C-alpha cells in the first residue's frame, strides 16, 4: 500500500512638554511619560522577538524542504523557545521528527500543537501518519477521522484513513474511504492501487485487477513494479490474468 505526506509592528510615542508653570503636576506628567516609554520599549522588544521567531521558522521550513531534518528541528526549537504557543512550529517539528522515524517524539510535538489549536487539521493528519508508522492503526484512524471532520475534502487523509482501516481488516470500510478520495480527485492512482490491494486481500481477483489496471494506466512503471512484490497481492499473484496485467 502507498501513503499520500508578514509581520507588522507599530508603536505610538507621546511627547510631553513642560514649563515652569506646570508646578505640582510636573511629577505626575513625568511618571506618565516614563510609563508610556516603558510600554513602547516592551512592544519593541516583543516585536524583535516575534521577528526573530519568524526568521527561525522560515529557516526551519527551508531546511525541512532540503530534508535537513536535524537542523530543521533545531530551528523550530528556537522558534518555540521564543514563542511556545506556535502550533505551526510544533507541527513542522513533528514532520521533521517523523522523517527521522522518531515517531514518539513526533506525536508529542503534534499533541502540543493540538493543545494550542485543537482544530488544526495538519496536526491531526500528521499525527495519524506517525501512529500508522507505529502500527497503532486504531489510534491512527481516530486521528484521520478528526482531520477529515475539520477538512472533509482533503483526499490525502481519506487515503491514509483507508490504509488504517485495511490494516484493521475492515476492507469494505477502507474501500469506501478510497472511493470518497476518488470522488474528490479522479486521477488518484494511490487510491486505485490501495483499492486493488484491499480486493486482493479478500481474494477478489476481478476487482483487484480492475483497480490495479486503473493505477497502472495513470503511473505505469511504478505500479507494475510495486505489484510484483507487494505482499498484499499474494493471494492473487499466481493467477494468469494478474500475471498478464504486469507484462
Amino acid at each position: 500500500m502507498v501513503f499520500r505526506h508578514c509581520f507588522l509592528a507599530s508603536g505610538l510615542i507621546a511627547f510631553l512638554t513642560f514649563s515652569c508653570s506646570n508646578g505640582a503636576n510636573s511629577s505626575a506628567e513625568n511618571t506618565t511619560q516614563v510609563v508610556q516609554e516603558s510600554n513602547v520599549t516592551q512592544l519593541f522588544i516583543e516585536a524583535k522577538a516575534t521577528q526573530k521567531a519568524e526568521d527561525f521558522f522560515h529557516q526551519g521550513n527551508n531546511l525541512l524542504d532540503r530534508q535537513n531534518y536535524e537542523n530543521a528541528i533545531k530551528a523550530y526549537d528556537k522558534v518555540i523557545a521564543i514563542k511556545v504557543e506556535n502550533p505551526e512550529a510544533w507541527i513542522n517539528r513533528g514532520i521533521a521528527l517523523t522523517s527521522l522515524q522518531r515517531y514518539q517524539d513526533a506525536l508529542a510535538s503534534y499533541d502540543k500543537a493540538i493543545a494550542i489549536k485543537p482544530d488544526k487539521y495538519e496536526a491531526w493528519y500528521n499525527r495519524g501518519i506517525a501512529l500508522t508508522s507505529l502500527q497503532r492503526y486504531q489510534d491512527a484512524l481516530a486521528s484521520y477521522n478528526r482531520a477529515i471532520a475539520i477538512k472533509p475534502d482533503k483526499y490525502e487523509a481519506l487515503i491514509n484513513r483507508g490504509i488504517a482501516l485495511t490494516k484493521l481488516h475492515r476492507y469494505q470500510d477502507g474501500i469506501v474511504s478510497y472511493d470518497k478520495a476518488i470522488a474528490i480527485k479522479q486521477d488518484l492512482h494511490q487510491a486505485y492501487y490501495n483499492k486493488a490491494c484491499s480486493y486482493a486481500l479478500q481474494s477478489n481477483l476481478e476487482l483487484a485487477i480492475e483497480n490495479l489496471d486503473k493505477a497502472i494506466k495513470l503511473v505505469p512503471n511504478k505500479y507494475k513494479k510495486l505489484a510484483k512484490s507487494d505482499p498484499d497481492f499474494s493471494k492473487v499473484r499466481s493467477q494468469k490474468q494478474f500475471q498478464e496485467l504486469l507484462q
Side-chain angles (χ1 to χ4, degrees), residues 73-97:
I73 292 165
K74 291 176 183 177
Y76 294 130
D77 283 343
K78 290 176 181 177
V79 177
I80 292 160
I82 297 168
K83 190 177 181 183
V84 69
E85 293 201 352
N86 185 321
E88 290 79 13
W90 284 111
I91 291 168
N92 287 1
R93 181 178 183 271
I95 291 170
L97 287 162

Side-chain angles (χ1 to χ4, degrees), residues 2-238:
V2 291
F3 277 99
R4 270 293 297 139
H5 256 322
C6 127
F7 177 73
L8 176 66
S10 63
L12 175 65
I13 301 176
F15 293 93
L16 300 180
T17 58
F18 298 93
S19 68
C20 294
S21 62
N22 290 127
N25 292 330
S26 62
S27 176
E29 288 170 344
N30 273 321
T31 302
T32 302
Q33 185 180 15
V34 170
V35 170
Q36 288 176 337
E37 287 176 352
S38 176
N39 287 344
V40 170
T41 301
Q42 184 60 34
L43 285 171
F44 181 71
I45 292 168
E46 290 174 3
K48 283 188 70 176
T50 302
Q51 184 60 60
K52 187 177 287 188
E54 292 243 342
D55 291 342
F56 284 133
F57 182 71
H58 292 308
Q59 181 185 14
N61 290 348
N62 290 332
L63 290 163
L64 189 63
D65 287 340
R66 297 202 299 268
Q67 300 181 358
N68 189 341
Y69 303 122
E70 292 285 2
N71 286 324
I73 292 165
K74 291 176 183 177
Y76 294 130
D77 283 343
K78 290 176 181 177
V79 177
I80 292 160
I82 297 168
K83 190 177 181 183
V84 69
E85 293 201 352
N86 185 321
E88 290 79 13
W90 284 111
I91 291 168
N92 287 1
R93 181 178 183 271
I95 291 170
L97 287 162
T98 299
S99 300
L100 292 170
Q101 300 182 1
R102 292 170 56 184
Y103 303 122
Q104 292 292 351
D105 292 334
L107 283 175
S109 209
Y110 298 137
D111 286 344
K112 287 280 190 180
I114 290 165
I116 297 164
K117 194 170 175 58
D119 62 346
K120 200 70 176 170
Y121 156 81
E122 298 88 347
W124 288 109
Y125 173 72
N126 287 301
R127 186 176 188 270
I129 290 174
L131 288 163
T132 301
S133 299
L134 289 168
Q135 299 183 5
R136 290 171 55 184
Y137 302 119
Q138 194 65 51
D139 293 332
L141 178 60
S143 282
Y144 291 134
N145 284 340
R146 290 295 296 269
I148 293 162
I150 297 165
K151 202 169 181 67
D153 62 344
K154 200 67 176 175
Y155 57 82
E156 295 94 338
L158 287 162
I159 290 174
N160 286 0
R161 179 179 181 271
I163 291 171
L165 287 162
T166 302
K167 293 294 186 181
L168 292 167
H169 305 290
R170 293 172 57 182
Y171 302 121
Q172 291 304 318
D173 290 335
I175 289 165
V176 169
S177 201
Y178 299 137
D179 284 339
K180 286 181 179 179
I182 292 166
I184 297 167
K185 194 173 189 299
Q186 298 296 314
D187 61 348
L188 279 178
H189 47 88
Q190 303 94 333
Y192 287 118
Y193 182 82
N194 288 344
K195 276 183 71 178
C197 291
S198 294
Y199 283 121
L201 288 165
Q202 298 174 82
S203 302
N204 189 328
L205 175 64
E206 181 181 350
L207 289 177
I209 289 174
E210 178 185 319
N211 283 278
L212 181 57
D213 183 48
K214 290 178 181 178
I216 289 171
K217 283 177 178 174
L218 290 166
V219 189
N221 294 334
K222 176 180 180 178
Y223 291 115
K224 277 191 176 184
K225 182 178 180 181
L226 195 57
K228 288 177 181 178
S229 59
D230 193 330
D232 287 351
F233 292 108
S234 59
K235 291 182 179 180
V236 300
R237 185 171 286 114
S238 62

